[in-house]
Amino acid sequence: MSSETNVIKAALSSVTLHVVIVGGLVAGAVITPPKKPTLEVTLANDKPIVKAAMVNNDDVQKQVERLKKEKADAKRAEELRQKKLKEEQKRIRDLERQRKKKQAEKRAADRAAKKARDEAAKQKKAAEDAIKKAKAKQRAEAEKAKKIKAERIRQEKAAAEAKAKRIAAEKAAKAKAERLRKEKLAKEKAAREQREREEALAKELAEEQAALAKARQAKVMTEVQKYTSLISATIKRNWVTDQSMKGKECVLNIRLASSGFVTRVTRVSGDTIVCQSAIAAVQKASTLPMSKDPQVYAKLKEINLTVQPEFD
């Protein structure tokens, strides 16, 4: 491949050199002007002498013919150069096609050789695998026969041992069944007694918890009543009343935070004027008395409170 490339490069260099030389010759022939005949006139004293070189038509015609011939020769030389250049280019293209063809043939041959080698290796491996498989099958069949014989012997021995164990197990099972029956009766009795004790204890505990809950509930209700009274008293301290409210009342819905802070107060029912002044008293108080006991707060966090102005 390297030698073919060098040949191509040399051919291209040769063609280029020829083009440059021929071009120079043509340019010289066209650019160089022909020599023109001269006309000289000399004047001296009283003796005028006129020396003139007359233009010779034959010389001009010869000069023209010479130029035409040079031009025609240059044209033929250029045509010859172009022809040789095309032939050289064709030869180079032919060489390149031959080179590519040889490369393609070589690649095809290499692929065919590789395919043949791969196929041979594949067939060889397949034959080796078949031999290995056949030997493995023989070993497996021999091993299987050996295992079948050993298994038959083992089963016969196991059957004899199983028979002996079965007889012993039947005896043991009868004894165990009797023992379990007695243990079961004993456990049932113990469980029954335990259950009776637990039921009695649970009943006693429930009664005690009920009593405690009742006492706690009573205490909570007492606290609720106490703080309800305190809330009413706080509202009345901040309530501005007049005689027109006498004998009238208002039911308020009051929502409280755990600190006693009033989050909302609204009228539920009652005299409008009384309710408006009562709401103003609640808002003026801002924070109402509140127990720290969560159960008491749970009952007082939202209450409907009936208020009635008092007069002496």
Side-chain angles (χ1 to χ4, degrees), residues 218-238:
K219 182 179 178 180
V220 168
M221 293 308 298
T222 300
E223 287 289 300
V224 169
Q225 292 173 0
K226 171 185 172 182
Y227 278 93
T228 301
S229 298
L230 291 173
I231 289 170
S232 296
T234 302
I235 293 172
K236 288 177 181 178
R237 281 198 304 273
N238 291 278

Side-chain angles (χ1 to χ4, degrees), residues 11 41 114 119 121 150 171 197 210 219 312:
V41 179
K114 184 178 183 301
E119 185 63 26
K171 292 180 180 179
R197 287 193 298 270
K219 182 179 178 180
D312 296 334

Side-chain angles (χ1 to χ4, degrees), residues 19-189:
V19 171
V20 172
I21 293 172
V22 172
L25 291 173
V26 173
V30 174
I31 294 172
T32 304
K35 292 182 178 180
K36 294 181 180 181
T38 60
L39 177 64
E40 294 181 359
V41 179
T42 303
L43 298 177
N45 298 326
D46 297 332
K47 297 179 179 180
I49 299 173
V50 178
K51 184 180 180 181
M54 301 302 294
V55 176
N56 192 325
N57 289 333
D58 291 338
D59 292 340
V60 172
Q61 187 63 32
K62 289 178 181 179
Q63 186 70 8
V64 171
E65 292 296 328
R66 184 180 64 80
L67 290 175
K68 287 182 178 181
K69 183 176 181 302
E70 289 177 353
K71 185 175 181 181
D73 291 342
K75 182 178 180 182
R76 284 194 298 274
E78 176 63 17
E79 290 174 351
L80 181 60
R81 186 188 68 79
Q82 290 292 338
K83 181 179 179 182
K84 289 182 177 180
L85 180 60
K86 290 180 180 180
E87 290 174 351
E88 185 66 17
Q89 289 175 345
K90 181 177 181 299
R91 188 180 68 84
I92 292 171
R93 287 195 298 271
D94 291 342
L95 289 173
E96 182 64 14
R97 281 195 295 272
Q98 291 174 8
R99 183 184 66 80
K100 290 182 178 179
K101 182 179 179 182
K102 288 180 180 179
Q103 286 182 342
E105 290 173 350
K106 184 176 182 302
R107 286 194 295 269
D110 291 342
R111 287 195 296 270
K114 184 178 183 301
K115 183 177 180 181
R117 289 195 301 271
D118 293 344
E119 185 63 26
K122 183 178 179 182
Q123 291 178 358
K124 181 180 178 182
K125 187 176 183 303
E128 292 175 350
D129 291 344
I131 293 171
K132 289 180 181 179
K133 187 175 180 181
K135 290 181 178 180
K137 184 178 180 181
Q138 290 177 354
R139 288 194 298 269
E141 289 177 350
E143 186 67 21
K144 182 178 179 180
K146 183 179 178 181
K147 286 182 178 179
I148 291 173
K149 182 178 179 181
E151 180 64 18
R152 180 175 54 78
I153 295 171
R154 187 192 66 76
Q155 289 178 357
E156 290 175 353
K157 183 179 178 181
E161 292 176 352
K163 184 177 179 180
K165 286 181 179 180
R166 186 177 65 255
I167 294 171
E170 288 175 354
K171 292 180 180 179
K174 290 180 180 179
K176 183 178 180 180
E178 182 62 21
R179 177 175 57 81
L180 291 175
R181 187 183 66 80
K182 291 179 179 180
E183 289 178 356
K184 182 180 179 183
L185 292 174
K187 286 180 180 180
E188 289 176 351
K189 181 180 178 182

